[in-house]
Amino acid sequence: MHVAHVASEVFPFSRSGGLGDVLGALPAVQAAQGAEVTVISPWYASLGDEAPEHLWAGDLPELGGALGLGEAPHAWAGEVRRGGVRHLFVGLSPFSRPGLYHDDDVWRYCAFGQAVLPVLRRLGAMPDVVHGHDWQAGLVVAHAQLAGLATVFSVHNLQYQGKWNFAEGSRWTGLPDWALGPDGLEMGGDINLMKAGLTFADRVTTVSPTYAQEITTPQYGEGLEDLLGRLARQGRLSGILNGLDQDRWDPRTDPDITPYGDLAGKAAATAALRDEFGLDGAPVLAAVSRLAGQKGMDLLIEALPALTPHWNVVVLGGGDPLLEAALTGWAQHPRVAFAQGMNEALAHRIYAGADAFAMPSRFEPCGLSQMIAMRYGTLPVVRETGGLVDTVPHDVGFRFADASPQALGAACAEALAAYQQPADWAGRVGRAMSLDFSWDGPARHYLALYRSLR
């Protein structure tokens, strides 16, 4: 079986978050399990340290002139083979600028969505199954379905949908007129590339079972709950929990920390983190996160007056300028430390050194941070939503229902009470570090799903 994953990013070539991590790990495990796997992503101006080998360059008259790239836009393709996976990069002029994402991304990914299959045909590399990830691959899934290929579409975050006004955007899709209406990719007077993937795919998956249920409700459905509910009733919607790259995130071998595999090593990592940020002997509560409403970081900030009498709080992240400013102000407090932006090595040190890890997310399709934290013996304090429900056992972490600073504070108080009982805390840490979050099981679930479509 030849499966082609299509996504806007893939670690280590391009990454802004969890999507890139998934595409960096899942395909390699599927290849080890016997599948032929290709990962297709845009050829950005920068792809890290490993330059692709050029395979093909030429014109694509199939794209036509509506995209404003000429009647036969020029394209090119290259590959890197890594970990048993063929990484195929499709080049088009809209992706030659610096950075991954821009304000005109709907137009850019319409061009990419039309180019993928023609490039695969020219390379003689047509797959058995096309597996698209998030809205940037929605149009690829639609074209693959119309070409008679088996298709799977995975929703990593329903909030981002790839919308553009219909009058302009519909000319960019390359789809027939019948596919452009309310039963296709039109929604509320816009084209919607997320809806394209949902509508045309043979099967739709989300990255956790609980999120698959949540998005059929108005609270989490982002306007697509009726369509998603219909897919669920038809048996076309399911949730497959993300795994974790357990080689990359392993406290016993992590080069960014002093490696450890027991409680003594964990205590040393905590002492080192306290020294790094000048913290006192109170337990350390940490967050490594985008600073965004989805992640509930405003709830953590509002809870700080109740937390700081009992906890040191360390936050690494960037995003919303108002949240950044609030944390910068709070960092004057002796028990609060804030590192703005993202720093991979520092993130590893925080995961290793913190005692507890806060994820007060308003919604969380899956989440990787809570898995990483538990792997490093850091106990999660999480809101009961999405993948946080599916991954954080009650006898390991601490869960709360309401998206409020009071509920978060109460869960942290529960964690503090457990911390003050060393035997209870040590048992939780031991159970956390023994949990299996490998990709083996999820990869097999996906392969079984593909086989069901053939």
Side-chain angles (χ1 to χ4, degrees), residues 58-412:
D59 295 335
L60 294 179
E62 296 96 327
L63 271 64
L67 286 159
L69 299 173
E71 290 302 319
H74 188 70
W76 55 98
E79 71 171 6
V80 173
R81 292 186 180 266
R82 180 188 179 100
V85 176
R86 183 188 197 190
H87 294 274
L88 186 64
F89 302 95
V90 174
L92 292 162
S93 60
F95 292 91
S96 296
R97 67 184 78 155
L100 298 187
Y101 300 120
H102 298 275
D103 291 341
D104 58 353
D105 274 346
V106 173
W107 169 69
R108 296 167 79 221
Y109 284 101
C110 280
F112 177 74
Q114 289 194 63
V116 167
L117 292 186
V119 169
L120 290 177
R121 291 189 185 99
R122 283 159 173 77
L123 295 175
M126 292 296 285
D128 300 305
V129 179
V130 171
H131 185 165
H133 298 265
D134 262 352
W135 74 262
Q136 295 93 343
L139 193 60
V140 180
V141 168
H143 280 284
Q145 184 70 19
L146 295 179
L149 298 174
T151 54
V152 174
F153 182 66
S154 286
V155 178
H156 295 255
N157 191 332
L158 192 65
Q159 188 175 54
Y160 304 100
Q161 297 183 7
K163 300 177 184 179
W164 201 265
N165 75 82
F166 186 85
E168 192 172 22
S170 60
R171 298 185 290 108
W172 300 339
T173 67
L175 293 174
D177 289 343
W178 62 264
L180 298 175
D183 293 332
L185 56 70
E186 187 272 338
M187 179 178 168
D190 293 325
I191 64 165
N192 185 314
L193 299 189
M194 174 70 78
K195 187 171 182 249
L198 297 175
T199 301
F200 284 94
D202 291 314
R203 289 289 298 272
V204 174
T205 69
T206 69
V207 289
S208 72
T210 296
Y211 191 58
Q213 299 169 7
E214 288 177 338
I215 61 176
T216 64
T217 69
Q219 182 179 357
Y220 295 97
E222 301 289 346
L224 290 165
E225 58 271 9
D226 290 343
L227 170 59
L228 290 158
R230 184 164 65 251
L231 294 176
R233 292 189 294 273
Q234 295 170 348
R236 292 172 55 199
L237 172 65
S238 60
I240 298 176
L241 188 67
N242 274 347
L244 181 69
D245 185 342
Q246 296 195 148
D247 292 329
R248 179 181 169 203
W249 297 103
D250 187 345
R252 297 167 300 180
T253 58
D254 190 333
D256 291 315
I257 65 171
T258 300
Y260 63 88
D262 56 23
L263 292 176
K266 171 70 177 174
T270 303
L273 187 67
R274 285 198 180 100
D275 288 343
E276 181 170 355
F277 286 103
L279 304 174
D280 64 22
V284 179
L285 175 70
V288 177
S289 176
R290 284 187 296 111
L291 301 183
Q294 175 204 335
K295 297 296 184 178
M297 287 296 103
D298 57 312
L299 305 180
L300 178 62
I301 293 169
E302 290 181 51
L304 284 174
L307 295 177
T308 48
H310 312 288
W311 295 89
N312 291 296
V313 180
V314 177
V315 178
L316 169 63
D320 186 322
L322 293 178
L323 298 180
E324 290 182 355
L327 285 166
T328 299
W330 264 102
Q332 306 306 309
H333 192 289
R335 280 190 170 174
V336 178
F338 172 50
Q340 187 174 341
M342 290 308 297
N343 180 312
E344 184 83 5
L346 177 57
H348 285 241
R349 297 196 298 276
I350 291 173
Y351 283 119
D355 295 294
F357 193 90
M359 290 186 70
S361 304
R362 286 183 168 83
F363 69 92
E364 194 64 63
C366 179
L368 296 178
S369 291
Q370 79 279 11
M371 299 185 205
I372 297 168
M374 287 185 283
R375 187 137 171 85
Y376 283 70
T378 300
L379 303 186
V381 181
V382 302
R383 182 165 174 266
E384 291 185 318
T385 185
L388 302 178
V389 173
D390 298 324
T391 55
V392 180
H394 284 289
D395 65 348
V396 171
F398 308 89
R399 292 162 39 169
F400 61 98
D402 294 335
S404 70
Q406 293 79 16
L408 170 60
C412 289

